Amino acid sequence: MISTRSLWTQIFFLIVIITICVFPFYWMVTTSLKTQIVALEAPPVWLFEPTLKNYQEALFEDGVLRTLINSLLVAVSTTLLALILGVPAAFALARFEFLGKKDLWFWFITNRMVSPIVLALPFFLIARNLGILDKHITLILIYLTFNLPIVIWIVTDQFRGIPYDLDEAARLEGASQFTIMRKICLPLAMPGVAVSAIFSFIFSWNELMFGLILTRTEAKTAPAMAVSFMEGYNLPYGKIMATSTLIVIPVLIFALIASKQLGRGLTMGAVK
Amino acid sequence: MTAKVSRKTVFGFIGPAVIGLAMVGIAPLLYAVWTSLHFYNLTKLKRVEFIGLENYWTVLTDEVFWQAMGRTFFLLGAALPLQIVLGLGIALTLHQPGLTLLKTLCRLSLVLPMATTYAVVGLLGQVMFNQKFGVVNQLLGGANINWIGDPENAFAMIIFWDVWQWTPFVALVLLAGLTMVPGEVEEAARLETKSKWTVLRYVQLPFLVPGLVAVLILRTADTLKLFDMVFTLTRGGPGSSTEFISLMIQRIGFRGFDQGLASAQAIILLIITIILAQIYIRVFYKEV
């Protein structure tokens, strides 16, 4: 049986882990509630009178609100597009036999590993030539390069788990493959679809590099906005942390909802 | 089980995804190959000219490129062992019976770092590691360490944040592996020996191997991709002490405006990535 001493060691260890994980968030939120004068005190103060001024200024005067809306718009649209394109593809990979399936699979998965800078360079030039720099659609499309593989991976896996007998039965009734997917398999695959949508949203929402390179003002995303506060000498730390908090909160909520599947999604299913 | 269907049906289902991904994932690459074969500078667009493989030759013989590559793998070599050791420790702790509530809480806290926007991690680093009013120096007993402005300290700081953000990932992957060990087998082993090490080495390790390989390969790919966090934290500085491969390519292409050279670098990085991805697929996705 577990001795009391080892039990206390365990409790201690667990609390240390939790503290290390959570402390940066605590510091982010408290800094966001400090005035610039308090934020620049050395050594830093832990007790102070909180103010929401940073949020108010960032959101309504500096235009963070608009960049948050941009981020939301882009992340939701690209997720929907990835689902519309990815779910049927996943169904085909799970259910049909065809030539080149393996190569296709390899190609989908490889996209997960390619550095975004490899695509950012040519995409920037193409977008510039087409005159679609600083447009939402540009980000929505480029984000497909990582969203589509994740949707295809997770949903294929989910479709494979659905008993094939159901398909057979429906086919005997004269249902087309499309009807089988929509009416029989898709409802059963909903958990996987939901999880892949959450991942797709999180990755798009978190993305910085494409946002930085492909947008200027109109379609600027929230992370790119947070970075643009970093110019000059007297950095508005409170405001930067307020923006950071606004960016991180929705992601954390989604991540906690999908926490059970997170490890799995991040390894693209390599680990159950 | 799979169905035999007409090619038209297959195309109807998978065609849109293939065309979509080809448009955003392959067409730009072809364009990058074209750019990489030209002198292509954003400030001198009037004299774009074909120069063959000259850019590639420049990259392959360029010390700066290989230094950035070396730095990238050095970061991986420094951070990954830490992540595995700490991650394994956390996974083993969480795997022990008892303290359910605290452990659930711990597992939820572990989710937070890896979901955090990478750019925000960098910004947090700026605030917490600031020499004068940063909380890190305060917690170190009022130390006066220049984290961001000193090459070695900046590198250590990058390692810290990489470990902070990705140890939870390693821990959760390994924990998933530990739960795959059949309960009877583990109990039988514990009756046989008192040594936790023996149980880990001979009973649990075989179940951890797939997860460890996944971690190794994904962390390699992610380190090659690493950009957001370092960009917001140090911009590759001071000097080029934290300029990893993706940051360097971004600098050459967008701050040095030499798209031709940057494209050649990107293509070489892509080739290295594809070799790694091949290994990845060979190891894991045999069953498809």
Side-chain angles (χ1 to χ4, degrees):
Chain A
M1 278 278 79
I2 316 164
S3 68
T4 340
R5 209 178 118 242
S6 88
L7 196 71
W8 281 109
T9 336
Q10 241 193 82
I11 293 175
F12 174 75
F13 195 45
L14 288 168
I15 290 174
V16 169
I17 300 167
I18 296 173
T19 312
I20 293 175
C21 288
V22 175
F23 182 74
F25 297 101
Y26 167 78
W27 201 254
M28 174 177 77
V29 174
T30 50
T31 307
S32 76
L33 300 172
K34 288 175 178 174
T35 61
Q36 180 75 349
I37 298 162
V38 180
L40 294 185
E41 264 187 72
V45 287
W46 293 60
L47 292 172
F48 58 95
E49 204 170 305
T51 163
L52 285 173
K53 224 176 113 237
N54 289 319
Y55 287 90
Q56 200 189 343
E57 275 183 29
L59 277 174
F60 304 111
E61 285 166 35
D62 302 320
V64 170
L65 183 62
R66 217 186 57 203
T67 63
L68 285 168
I69 295 171
N70 282 341
S71 278
L72 185 71
L73 196 70
V74 167
V76 169
S77 315
T78 189
T79 300
L80 287 177
L81 195 57
L83 289 176
I84 292 168
L85 296 175
V87 169
F91 186 76
L93 285 167
R95 286 295 201 254
F96 304 157
E97 201 55 65
F98 55 91
L99 205 68
K101 187 161 136 176
K102 217 173 162 176
D103 298 322
L104 207 57
W105 187 261
F106 174 68
W107 173 54
F108 281 137
I109 304 301
T110 313
N111 277 284
R112 155 74 175 77
M113 314 191 73
V114 176
S115 175
I117 191 66
V118 175
L119 291 167
L121 291 165
F123 216 81
F124 169 76
L125 295 177
I126 293 171
R128 214 176 61 142
N129 290 340
L130 295 177
I132 53 167
L133 274 182
D134 205 16
K135 295 255 195 301
H136 296 101
I137 184 73
T138 316
L139 286 182
I140 293 171
L141 290 176
I142 192 86
Y143 287 174
L144 281 180
T145 52
F146 50 85
N147 288 336
L148 204 47
I150 197 100
V151 168
I152 289 177
W153 172 262
I154 295 176
V155 181
T156 303
D157 214 33
Q158 184 84 48
F159 276 141
R160 281 215 194 98
I162 297 168
Y164 192 63
D165 308 350
L166 293 173
D167 291 39
E168 294 264 86
R171 227 174 17 183
L172 291 176
E173 299 277 316
S176 72
Q177 290 293 346
F178 186 72
T179 315
I180 295 176
M181 177 183 84
R182 209 166 57 90
K183 292 265 167 66
I184 295 166
C185 293
L186 196 54
L188 292 169
M190 262 330 194
V193 174
V195 168
S196 72
I198 288 178
F199 279 126
S200 170
F201 179 87
I202 292 179
F203 289 149
S204 314
W205 178 269
N206 278 350
E207 205 280 331
L208 169 70
M209 186 203 273
F210 289 126
L212 213 54
I213 289 172
L214 299 171
T215 69
R216 294 287 173 270
T217 46
E218 282 303 306
K220 196 174 201 172
T221 59
M225 182 74 205
V227 173
S228 62
F229 280 127
M230 302 299 291
E231 268 135 38
Y233 284 98
N234 213 354
L235 297 180
Y237 283 104
K239 236 189 261 181
I240 293 173
M241 288 296 100
T243 311
S244 299
T245 308
L246 291 167
I247 296 172
V248 162
I249 296 289
V251 188
L252 295 189
I253 293 169
F254 272 125
L256 289 175
I257 294 172
S259 64
K260 280 236 164 78
Q261 287 87 355
L262 205 68
R264 226 178 133 208
L266 289 170
T267 52
M268 297 267 285
V271 179
K272 299 268 165 183
Chain B
M1 279 294 281
T2 44
K4 289 227 184 309
V5 291
S6 73
R7 281 165 87 172
K8 235 171 91 186
T9 317
V10 171
F11 188 79
F13 276 86
I14 211 164
V18 172
I19 294 167
L21 200 55
M23 265 169 43
V24 292
I26 289 195
L29 286 183
L30 297 176
Y31 194 71
V33 172
W34 183 87
T35 316
S36 71
L37 298 173
H38 289 74
F39 174 85
Y40 197 124
N41 191 305
L42 286 174
T43 55
K44 300 180 187 110
L45 284 174
K46 287 231 171 72
R47 41 175 292 241
V48 173
E49 57 177 315
F50 181 76
I51 53 167
L53 293 174
E54 206 181 302
N55 281 327
Y56 287 91
W57 181 246
T58 312
V59 177
L60 291 174
T61 54
D62 183 10
E63 259 186 30
V64 177
F65 179 81
W66 294 110
Q67 277 166 1
M69 211 51 156
R71 212 174 281 131
T72 307
F73 279 97
F74 185 77
L75 173 67
L76 182 70
L80 189 60
L82 277 173
Q83 288 161 348
I84 290 177
V85 170
L86 294 173
L88 185 62
I90 295 171
L92 287 171
T93 308
L94 287 175
H95 185 59
Q96 282 174 35
L99 299 172
T100 321
L101 185 68
L102 194 59
K103 277 173 189 161
T104 310
L105 206 62
C106 186
R107 215 173 314 196
L108 287 176
S109 325
L110 286 173
V111 167
L112 302 178
M114 52 180 175
T116 308
T117 316
Y118 314 125
V120 168
V121 176
L123 297 174
L124 259 168
Q126 288 250 5
V127 172
M128 291 176 67
F129 280 84
N130 189 290
Q131 187 177 0
K132 246 170 60 198
F133 39 81
V135 68
V136 172
N137 276 348
Q138 186 187 28
L139 291 176
L140 291 174
N144 188 32
I145 302 169
N146 183 358
W147 289 102
I148 297 169
D150 174 85
E152 278 167 25
N153 291 344
F155 203 96
M157 186 174 61
I158 301 283
I159 294 175
F160 171 85
W161 285 111
D162 197 63
V163 169
W164 178 79
Q165 191 164 27
W166 294 108
T167 298
F169 167 63
V170 179
L172 292 182
V173 167
L174 295 182
L175 182 63
L178 288 177
T179 50
M180 302 280 279
V181 182
E184 320 87 73
V185 177
E186 203 182 318
E187 264 166 49
R190 290 204 193 282
L191 290 178
E192 286 287 317
T193 173
K194 274 231 161 79
S195 157
K196 281 183 183 163
W197 171 250
T198 313
V199 177
L200 176 65
R201 169 70 188 79
Y202 295 100
V203 180
Q204 294 169 321
L205 191 64
F207 288 89
L208 295 179
V209 169
L212 281 171
V213 181
V215 161
L216 170 75
I217 292 160
L218 287 171
R219 290 311 303 146
T220 309
D222 286 345
T223 310
L224 289 172
K225 287 164 78 170
L226 183 65
F227 177 87
D228 296 3
M229 183 263 277
V230 184
F231 185 80
T232 49
L233 187 47
T234 65
R235 301 246 160 143
S240 57
S241 55
T242 56
E243 190 173 75
F244 304 104
I245 192 71
S246 292
L247 275 116
M248 192 209 60
I249 300 177
Q250 191 265 354
R251 174 173 62 83
I252 301 283
F254 291 104
R255 286 181 273 168
F257 305 115
D258 194 341
Q259 290 277 323
L261 187 64
S263 298
Q265 294 172 331
I267 297 295
I268 292 171
L269 175 61
L270 179 68
I271 292 168
I272 295 171
T273 311
I274 288 178
I275 294 170
L276 290 169
Q278 281 274 5
I279 302 171
Y280 185 42
I281 305 298
R282 293 263 156 85
V283 177
F284 294 116
Y285 302 122
K286 283 174 246 164
E287 83 273 20
V288 181

